[in-house]
Amino acid sequence: MLIDLHTHGKLSKQSDFSLDYFHEMMQEAKLNGLDAVALTEHFNTKNYEALYEGLDSAFLYNGHYYEAHGVRVFPGIEVDIRETGHILLIGKKEEILAIRAELEPYTSKENFIPFAQLLKLADTYHLLKIGGHPFRDSTPLHPLNRELLIQLDALDLNAKDLFKQGVEVNRQKLEPFAEALGLPIVAGSDTHQCLQYGSVVNRFSEPIHTVEDLKRSIKDRRYEIEISAALDIKVKASVMLKKVLKQLKGEPPSREELEEVYTS
């Protein structure tokens, strides 16, 4: 079973949620062989709740995931923390929406939630906790308190960082770091549009029906990470298309996009 554990349902934080756009995304995910994705939309994206209102209007939710064009969509959220860094939380829809409601006071950059406080909040629910792109230059997690980091369930091997830093360079940073913490590594494309699907995937040896299934399989390391031979072209094409689409919408580039490196 092929699963991407870091994806987005909107072009950007400033974009409105488009159901047509999401239909296209899921159709392309299926064409890339994916059986499931974790929809880890940014917690401070524009009208976060509208995303789930849109999904509810179009797809069946069975209490664990949406079924969208043959792809299982597990609800999730990507949260900025005060110390700098992003944490992915994956769980049932009602838990993710409850977390988002509790994070409302922390959505501005000057008031992001502290890491320890987010972990404490997350542990009141049954969530999978992943440290997003630990060695990304703009939002590094690796310098943070080890006693907090080991409370995560896994670390993110991120397609954008594999492209920007080079596959071997990024893995040589992440793998010893994860081993020292005793944490598994899982793969996520971090895509905001369809071309990046399939750049990195997790191949689970058993069917995944719930987040608890995910947590157990990751803890027991009953999966393998696969990196596409076409990763560079998938990510580069995705980055370029995203910029063009944002320009057409009149959206300014983000700081990260202004700093984007186009060759690995």
Side-chain angles (χ1 to χ4, degrees), residues 250-263:
E251 294 182 23
S254 66
R255 183 188 70 175
E256 188 173 301
E257 287 167 340
L258 289 171
E259 298 172 351
E260 191 68 53
V261 176
Y262 281 103
T263 55

Side-chain angles (χ1 to χ4, degrees), residues 97-116:
L97 291 175
I99 283 274
R100 174 58 185 80
E102 295 200 53
L103 289 171
E104 182 61 34
Y106 304 102
T107 56
S108 60
K109 185 175 182 180
E110 60 274 11
N111 197 33
F112 287 155
I113 191 168
F115 190 16

Side-chain angles (χ1 to χ4, degrees), residues 35-48:
D35 299 296
V37 301
L39 184 59
T40 51
E41 192 54 71
H42 292 285
F43 83 118
N44 54 357
T45 195
K46 180 182 178 182
N47 296 331
Y48 181 90

Side-chain angles (χ1 to χ4, degrees), residues 49-235:
E49 293 81 1
L51 187 153
Y52 284 96
E53 292 169 1
L55 296 185
D56 286 337
S57 73
F59 306 111
L60 175 67
Y61 179 72
N62 68 2
H64 297 283
Y65 57 83
Y66 292 93
E67 186 74 36
H69 299 285
V71 178
R72 297 176 183 182
V73 181
F74 289 93
I77 194 165
E78 182 170 6
V79 184
D80 293 68
I81 55 174
R82 185 170 300 177
E83 294 88 341
T84 300
H86 292 181
I87 305 299
L88 313 176
L89 304 175
I90 302 167
K92 294 180 179 180
K93 177 180 67 173
E94 60 270 22
E95 295 179 318
I96 295 301
L97 291 175
I99 283 274
R100 174 58 185 80
E102 295 200 53
L103 289 171
E104 182 61 34
Y106 304 102
T107 56
S108 60
K109 185 175 182 180
E110 60 274 11
N111 197 33
F112 287 155
I113 191 168
F115 190 16
Q117 187 175 341
L118 179 64
L119 290 169
K120 185 176 181 180
L121 175 60
D123 284 342
T124 63
Y125 301 93
H126 301 91
L127 304 176
L128 175 64
K129 307 184 296 292
I130 301 172
H133 35 74
F135 285 87
R136 183 166 296 178
D137 292 340
S138 58
T139 51
L141 277 178
H142 65 89
L144 302 189
N145 185 308
R146 185 182 188 277
E147 297 307 311
L148 297 178
L149 288 167
I150 62 175
Q151 296 178 47
L152 297 169
D153 297 304
L155 298 175
D156 174 38
L157 182 68
N158 191 281
K160 290 182 179 179
D161 297 324
L162 290 169
F163 166 69
K164 186 172 181 178
Q165 299 174 12
V167 171
E168 291 307 315
V169 171
N170 185 246
R171 292 185 71 171
Q172 286 170 12
K173 292 177 181 178
L174 181 58
E175 290 173 1
F177 180 67
E179 184 176 358
L181 293 174
L183 293 177
I185 295 170
V186 295
S189 69
D190 202 0
T191 189
H192 282 259
Q193 53 76 40
C194 61
L195 297 182
Q196 210 161 298
Y197 285 127
S199 50
V200 290
V201 297
N202 305 280
R203 183 180 293 276
F204 286 85
S205 58
E206 300 172 352
I208 301 296
H209 301 288
T210 69
V211 171
E212 288 301 322
D213 291 343
L214 265 177
K215 291 182 72 170
R216 281 193 298 268
S217 291
I218 291 170
K219 181 179 179 180
D220 296 340
R221 310 197 187 211
R222 297 196 301 269
Y223 66 97
E224 294 181 355
I225 290 175
E226 297 179 3
I227 300 175
S228 172
L231 178 138
D232 282 359
I233 190 63
K234 281 179 173 289
V235 179

